[in-house]
Amino acid sequence: MMLRYFIRPFACPRIKLARGLSFSKEVPLIVEPEGYSHLLGSVVPLDVSWHMPNASRDSRAEFKKRRIPRARFMSLDEVAGEHPLSLPHMMPSPSLFATTCKRLGISPGTHVVLYDTIGVFSSPRALFMFKAFGHKKVSIMNGGMPNWEYASLPVDERVFEPVDYPEPELSTNWLRNYEDMKVNATAAPSESNNHELVLDARAAPRFHGTAPEPRPGLPSGHIPYSISLPFDILLETVTTGNGSQFTRLRNTKELYEIIARAIGSDAPLQPGSKVRIVNTCGSGMTAAIIWLALQRLGVNSALYDESWMGYAARPESIIATTT
């Protein structure tokens, strides 16, 4: 099957984002290291670093060496639900989520600040998880641990005690499953009222089917009628004085322009839009970066939890390419 998407020229209108944002000043969606440091005594920083299997990095070991003061560590592969295809880091059960939070000294009223050691990579996925379970006070650190160190802020170690975290309720409307995606794969947006706008965070060559998937045995390509939106174009790379680099989320104007250009319209980004959006990627990790960018613009969206690993592994799946 061959699908081609034609994107018309896009002229960004004057953007008024404040109206679409509902995040309180007390609990911002994104915090900068300099603005966060004075809150050290009232929030819980949580290292949620995750790396691709071929990265040869040990997140837990790195956490033990250096971390933000009072930080705890949460493994997204360990806090994960069981899946019939044995896929990693799927959404956990409410019980597992609550038990993990108790162990980490996090209560439902705790303001949690999530960060990772790449900059912005796995922290949006963790933010999505907390939000889906109804945890109100949660933010991410823009630029993560590298940005913290870039700002010359201190690292520290401290012992913490477990607290109570009652089992929450998972907001299932935040997630999509395979049956939901089959609907999107069999009808064009103009032909079905049930169709959702599907944004794919993988690299464009994998989306188009011109480059192999990093996971053996999986074909490349994409869900029919989905749109390529590689997660890395939503991020900017900062180079420090010693030559190291980290990523951080772009500003709202840039995010608006990038997403609207990829979609071919700014309609889904407007207040009151009825267009439903679902994000996908390779394994459900970087799809949360698109989700975060949309949240930054005041746009709600869902996440296809199993993503391409689950979709492409099923022989009955319809796979589109542009080759």
Side-chain angles (χ1 to χ4, degrees):
M1 173 181 278
M2 180 179 292
L3 296 181
R4 298 185 184 279
Y5 301 100
F6 299 92
I7 300 175
R8 66 176 181 270
F10 170 71
C12 181
R14 186 175 181 181
I15 301 171
K16 296 182 179 180
L17 294 172
R19 185 179 166 191
L21 296 176
S22 60
F23 311 110
S24 70
K25 293 181 180 179
E26 293 182 357
V27 187
L29 185 72
I30 297 173
V31 297
E32 302 293 336
E34 296 85 351
Y36 160 83
S37 58
H38 73 282
L39 298 173
L40 278 176
S42 59
V43 302
V44 170
L46 187 61
D47 187 330
V48 290
S49 299
W50 179 90
H51 302 289
M52 292 291 289
N54 59 358
S56 299
R57 293 182 63 174
D58 187 330
S59 297
R60 194 182 298 274
E62 292 179 15
F63 169 79
K64 291 179 179 179
K65 290 182 179 179
R66 61 180 182 274
R67 57 188 181 180
I68 291 175
R70 299 181 64 249
R72 300 99 197 262
F73 179 82
M74 175 185 283
S75 168
L76 296 179
D77 280 333
E78 294 175 6
V79 185
E82 296 183 359
H83 190 277
L85 298 179
S86 299
L87 302 183
H89 49 257
M90 296 293 94
M91 285 291 286
S93 67
S95 176
L96 178 57
F97 178 77
T99 299
T100 303
C101 286
K102 289 179 185 178
R103 177 175 56 81
L104 294 173
I106 297 170
S107 71
T110 301
H111 183 181
V112 180
V113 175
L114 306 161
Y115 72 91
D116 63 60
T117 53
I118 292 180
V120 173
F121 187 64
S122 55
S123 54
R125 169 69 193 204
L127 179 67
F128 178 88
M129 177 178 66
F130 271 84
K131 290 283 190 181
F133 280 116
H135 195 102
K136 303 296 184 183
K137 297 182 178 181
V138 59
S139 314
I140 72 162
M141 173 76 66
N142 203 7
M145 186 66 184
N147 200 16
W148 178 268
E149 294 183 300
Y150 184 52
S152 300
L153 293 169
V155 295
D156 196 10
E157 294 183 2
R158 187 169 301 186
V159 178
F160 53 89
E161 298 295 333
V163 299
D164 188 42
Y165 201 111
E167 184 174 311
E169 180 178 349
L170 173 63
S171 300
T172 55
N173 61 312
W174 287 47
L175 298 171
R176 297 294 181 267
N177 58 31
Y178 179 68
E179 295 302 317
D180 297 322
M181 304 314 293
K182 285 170 62 177
V183 174
N184 289 291
T186 55
S190 60
E191 299 172 354
S192 172
N193 292 330
N194 294 323
H195 183 90
E196 296 182 303
L197 185 63
V198 181
L199 304 180
D200 193 320
R202 292 174 300 148
R206 292 165 59 191
F207 176 91
H208 293 300
T210 58
E213 286 293 308
R215 298 170 178 88
L218 280 185
S220 58
H222 57 271
I223 299 170
Y225 308 109
S226 59
I227 294 174
S228 177
L229 182 58
F231 75 89
D232 56 352
I233 66 175
L234 302 172
L235 308 174
E236 60 182 4
T237 300
V238 177
T239 302
T240 68
N242 63 12
S244 63
Q245 296 182 325
F246 64 89
T247 55
R248 51 179 289 130
L249 195 68
R250 293 184 180 275
N251 65 51
T252 50
K253 183 178 184 296
E254 292 174 324
L255 293 175
Y256 191 104
E257 293 173 344
I258 290 168
I259 297 173
R261 188 176 297 115
I263 294 173
S265 168
D266 69 339
L269 308 181
Q270 297 299 328
S273 172
K274 296 183 179 180
V275 177
R276 296 178 300 165
I277 302 176
V278 57
N279 311 300
T280 184
C281 61
S283 67
M285 185 63 66
T286 57
I289 295 177
I290 301 181
W291 170 83
L292 174 65
L294 290 169
Q295 285 281 297
R296 187 66 166 163
L297 299 178
V299 178
N300 291 324
S301 61
L303 192 147
Y304 176 29
D305 200 21
E306 63 181 30
S307 286
W308 192 248
M309 285 184 67
Y311 185 86
R314 293 179 167 89
E316 67 270 28
S317 295
I318 303 172
I319 296 177
T321 66
T322 51
T323 58

